[in-house]
Amino acid sequence: MATATEQARAVVTALLEARVTDIVIAPGSRNAPLSFAVFDAARAGLARLHTRIDERSAGFFALGLTKVGSRAAVMCTSGTAVANLHPSVLEAAHAGVPLVVVTADRPARLRETGANQVTDHVGIFGRLVDTLDLAEAPAEADLAALDDSRGPVHWNVQLDVPLTPPDRWEPPEVEVRPVPVRPQLMIHESIPTGPGTPRTVVVAGDDAGPPSRVLAQDGGWPLLAEPSSGARTGANALRSYRLLLESPLAERVERVVVYGHPTLSRPVTDLLARGDVEIIAAPVDGVWPARPFRVDRTIRNRLHVEGEPDPAWLEEWQEADRAISRQVDRLLHEQLEMTAYDVAASVARALPDGGLLMLGPSNPVRDLDLMMRPNRVGGRRKVLANRGLAGIDGIVSTAIGAAAGRESSTRALALMGDVTFLHDAGGLLLGPEEVRPDLTIVVANDDGGSIFASLEQGADDYVDSFERLFGTPHGTSLESLCAAHRIPHLAVRSVPELEAALGSPNGGIEVVEAVVSRRDRRALDNAIRALARS
């Protein structure tokens, strides 16, 4: 039977063969054999080693690395350490991100005995993630399963004492397995456009990609693209689509083509729930490929547009988009103080071609959705968001991971709210040897959870309980928190100050705190929505 050291080295070799380039370790005793093996592999230049004290931060950091193409594995010890990976694993499962999770376990004979730090790791992530329980080295079939994965993979490695290696490992030359080519069933699928065909819009949700933009362009249809769709480019993309869906124009839509996973907008959800609209949808990655709305036709291949577009339909949407966007800008310009919308607009303007932007959930991603003008085709601006489950956890760590994993040296930004930032403040805790990518984290700080002000909980009927239950003011000094982590911090209170800060980054990780008020957030949101109905 293999020793723990031999088994750990076999696991690391298998990961390297499966194109894992980055390995994130949270320290522990039971995973010591794995940690030593990774250290030797990194010393040999075969992988990048990252360490994090907190497993939750480690998981989301690995998620960020993987989302930008640097396939990453995260490793931890047994017990509650594994449970702390659950949020990042769930996000990866729902978003279809091939995160690799390696957990160290005691030998099977110690299970259900009350032994220290022993719980049931097998199936700990639920039925959404398959667990491979390894008492020996991974087999060829295990590697094949890793290759074919479109979501997270969990390897639970049983390691027995001794847990320290007898010698230094000189990893052998690794033969990296090629990226598997998945055969596609080539089916000619067409969709008609032009006079007499259904009035169509294309919805591009999270990770929709260029096919949605190409289809909208070929069909001459409006493109309703979320910021993280990878499709918010070109003349067909509309900045204010969310408001237009609450206007009479939306009532004339007869057909919707959906790519990606739309999650941001209730008006989009309402559109997809209409019984008088034909819904055509492309499959999505993730554990639940079924859609939460009725689908009349599933796209199995790229759609080919047949016919000549009628420009009148698109031009009507474009003109309405320009008009309502001007009204939104005028309304915001009339505000006496900098708003969260102003912050989002400034961040969008600061993102250059080839740049990276990580968005936090709740209001920031929605604010930017309204304020971000469509980019030019070919600009290659990458906008990411954890929309698999859209939680507030792990956003700082995901942003740092994404910035560290990208090949481009162009500007990297993150935009999030103060509650999201504080929820993952531990993501700023980096050791002296850890990579510190150039990343400007912009925190729209309104001292609480302003997203709820726009929801049912923010109605006047609940004003007596709102602050305690949902507003949750915290009064935390972000400056002091950043100082404790030796992270540069700057607070700004006006758009000129913010744009000056964004225009002169310090390098490394820095935090720009944009101080805004949520006192009138509900009223401002209502005024913006009213523009579509006027």
Side-chain angles (χ1 to χ4, degrees):
M1 184 172 180
T3 67
T5 292
E6 293 168 340
Q7 190 176 354
R9 290 172 178 176
V11 167
V12 171
T13 299
L15 295 178
L16 298 176
E17 291 176 352
R19 304 175 307 284
V20 169
T21 58
D22 292 73
I23 301 177
V24 189
I25 292 176
S29 177
R30 188 56 51 168
N31 63 331
L34 292 163
S35 300
F36 281 116
V38 173
F39 184 85
D40 288 338
R43 186 161 48 186
L46 299 178
R48 290 201 302 175
L49 166 63
H50 313 270
T51 59
R52 292 294 186 274
I53 292 175
D54 173 25
E55 288 83 8
R56 188 178 71 174
S57 177
F60 278 105
F61 179 76
L63 180 75
L65 286 165
T66 306
K67 285 172 79 77
V68 296
S70 299
R71 193 174 194 189
V74 58
M75 295 180 174
C76 73
T77 193
S78 60
T80 58
V82 182
N84 283 318
L85 292 176
H86 207 165
S88 59
V89 173
L90 282 180
E91 174 61 31
H94 284 272
V97 179
L99 177 68
V100 182
V101 179
V102 181
T103 57
D105 201 355
R106 265 65 169 175
R109 69 176 185 275
L110 296 181
R111 294 173 184 171
E112 300 182 18
T113 66
N116 183 42
Q117 289 192 346
V118 176
T119 187
D120 189 359
H121 292 182
V122 180
I124 195 170
F125 300 124
R127 61 186 178 86
L128 303 184
V129 180
D130 291 332
T131 297
L132 176 63
D133 196 20
L134 286 171
E136 294 289 343
E140 179 64 27
D142 304 328
L143 275 171
L146 189 62
D147 281 338
D148 293 337
S149 173
R150 296 195 179 192
V153 173
H154 177 206
W155 284 4
N156 184 61
V157 187
Q158 300 176 36
L159 298 170
D160 207 345
V161 293
L163 300 175
T164 54
D167 55 5
R168 174 178 168 177
W169 183 37
E170 297 290 347
E173 191 71 26
V174 174
E175 184 176 347
V176 178
R177 298 163 68 91
V179 178
V181 178
R182 297 183 175 93
Q184 289 187 334
L185 183 62
M186 300 303 293
I187 301 174
H188 179 80
E189 295 187 87
S190 63
I191 183 171
T193 189
T197 61
R199 289 185 288 265
T200 302
V201 298
V202 178
V203 169
D206 181 63
D207 205 27
S212 53
R213 192 265 305 166
V214 173
L215 181 68
Q217 175 182 293
D218 292 348
W221 298 314
L223 175 59
L224 320 182
E226 294 183 2
S228 61
S229 64
R232 199 181 178 103
T233 56
N236 294 58
L238 306 176
R239 167 188 160 186
S240 302
Y241 72 89
R242 194 171 75 211
L243 299 179
L244 296 178
L245 287 178
E246 298 190 71
S247 73
L249 188 60
E251 298 172 5
R252 296 162 52 202
V253 174
E254 298 172 317
R255 181 173 61 190
V256 182
V257 184
V258 184
Y259 287 85
H261 185 47
T263 60
L264 283 184
S265 169
R266 286 191 180 183
V268 169
T269 302
D270 293 342
L271 173 66
L272 298 176
R274 280 173 44 183
D276 61 336
V277 173
E278 179 189 5
I279 308 294
I280 302 173
V284 291
D285 290 331
V287 290
W288 292 332
R291 297 290 198 164
F293 47 82
R294 184 197 81 253
V295 177
D296 299 301
R297 174 183 170 189
T298 298
I299 301 170
R300 293 170 293 175
N301 200 5
R302 177 178 173 180
L303 286 178
H304 298 273
V305 174
E306 293 185 349
E308 289 297 322
D310 180 0
W313 174 244
L314 175 61
E315 290 172 356
E316 192 171 358
W317 280 81
Q318 289 172 326
E319 177 55 36
D321 182 50
R322 288 190 290 268
I324 201 167
S325 295
R326 287 193 295 267
Q327 294 179 60
V328 169
D329 292 341
R330 187 179 305 115
L331 176 62
L332 294 175
H333 182 71
E334 293 170 353
Q335 305 305 305
L336 299 179
E337 299 176 314
M338 179 173 66
T339 69
Y341 290 104
D342 295 320
V343 176
S346 296
V347 170
R349 288 192 295 269
L351 183 66
D353 283 355
L356 170 74
L357 173 59
M358 178 70 199
L359 293 173
S362 301
N363 276 335
V365 64
R366 291 173 173 83
D367 295 344
L368 188 126
D369 184 39
L370 181 60
M371 302 306 296
M372 185 179 189
R373 301 179 185 278
N375 300 315
R376 69 177 185 88
V377 176
R380 303 183 67 82
R381 301 179 185 182
K382 193 171 188 65
V383 181
L384 300 175
N386 286 346
R387 300 306 302 173
L389 285 182
I392 70 168
D393 41 357
I395 301 301
V396 172
S397 300
T398 307
I400 296 174
R406 60 202 292 262
E407 295 181 358
S408 172
S409 60
T410 315
R411 187 76 183 277
L413 295 152
L415 172 64
M416 63 193 72
D418 51 300
V419 175
T420 296
F421 177 76
L422 293 172
H423 200 281
D424 191 31
L428 299 175
L429 183 58
L430 304 176
E433 296 187 42
E434 297 305 307
V435 61
R436 292 174 179 261
D438 292 338
L439 173 67
T440 302
I441 301 174
V442 180
V443 182
N445 186 3
D446 56 14
D447 193 29
S450 62
I451 180 65
F452 300 109
S454 303
L455 302 178
E456 295 84 348
Q457 300 96 316
D460 291 342
D461 293 344
Y462 311 109
V463 65
D464 61 329
S465 59
F466 180 82
E467 281 296 285
R468 183 69 184 277
L469 298 179
F470 304 103
T472 57
H474 49 79
T476 300
S477 168
L478 270 60
E479 180 181 11
S480 298
L481 189 152
C482 290
H485 292 87
R486 299 181 180 178
I487 299 291
H489 166 275
L490 177 65
V492 298
R493 289 174 169 77
S494 69
V495 171
E497 286 181 309
L498 174 58
E499 294 191 336
L502 293 176
S504 55
N506 287 312
I509 300 171
E510 63 177 346
V511 172
V512 176
E513 177 187 359
V515 181
V516 296
S517 172
R518 61 182 170 85
R519 182 177 58 253
D520 301 320
R521 177 71 199 228
R522 185 178 180 87
L524 180 59
D525 287 353
N526 288 338
I528 289 175
R529 283 195 294 268
L531 296 175
R533 308 186 189 103
S534 60

